[in-house]
Amino acid sequence: MFELHRNNIYLCRGDTGIVNFAPCFCDSGEPGDSYRVILSVKKNINDKTYVLQKETKNNLFIFDHEDTENITPGKYIYDIEVHAEDQVDTMGPFKFVVLADVTRGGDNDG
């Protein structure tokens, strides 16, 4: 299971999924390939370390099995940063919920 509800991401540990994220640069036209989009997941907003970070490839965040297979089920927080030229825009924070999978079991705080 991989679902997006009101910008909150829900997935079973180890599942795959894709989020299409194509930023709109309304006032300056399209920047071509001169921008980066990064999704960062942490347990708590003030943590120094990331649980997961993904960068878009062709405007897609691609979550592979290996990205979440070892994440403890529970509630996390994420945001998305768009870096274009000398500008940085942040969307979020939003919920990132990792659900336990029946096959492996485990506690689920989600």
Side-chain angles (χ1 to χ4, degrees):
M1 180 194 96
F2 185 96
E3 296 181 359
L4 185 65
H5 294 283
R6 295 187 177 185
N7 297 318
N8 298 315
I9 295 174
Y10 298 85
L11 72 150
C12 284
R13 171 180 48 190
D15 282 8
T16 58
I18 296 174
V19 175
N20 185 351
F21 187 89
C24 174
F25 300 94
C26 301
D27 60 341
S28 60
E30 295 297 319
D33 293 331
S34 64
Y35 68 93
R36 294 177 56 214
V37 183
I38 303 164
L39 181 147
S40 301
V41 180
K42 292 181 175 183
K43 181 64 179 169
N44 297 297
I45 200 163
N46 295 318
D47 285 353
K48 300 287 185 208
T49 58
Y50 298 101
V51 173
L52 174 67
Q53 275 195 308
K54 297 294 290 184
E55 189 166 340
T56 55
K57 294 179 182 170
N58 298 321
N59 292 328
L60 299 174
F61 287 112
I62 300 171
F63 293 88
D64 296 312
H65 167 75
E66 297 80 18
D67 292 327
T68 62
E69 71 175 325
N70 294 314
I71 295 177
T72 302
K75 295 179 184 175
Y76 297 85
I77 192 165
Y78 83 96
D79 67 14
I80 296 173
E81 281 190 349
V82 179
H83 299 255
E85 299 176 10
D86 61 348
Q87 303 286 319
V88 177
D89 287 316
T90 304
M91 284 142 276
F94 305 109
K95 288 185 206 175
F96 190 94
V97 181
V98 178
L99 303 167
D101 50 324
V102 172
T103 303
R104 291 188 291 167
D107 293 331
N108 186 12
D109 295 332

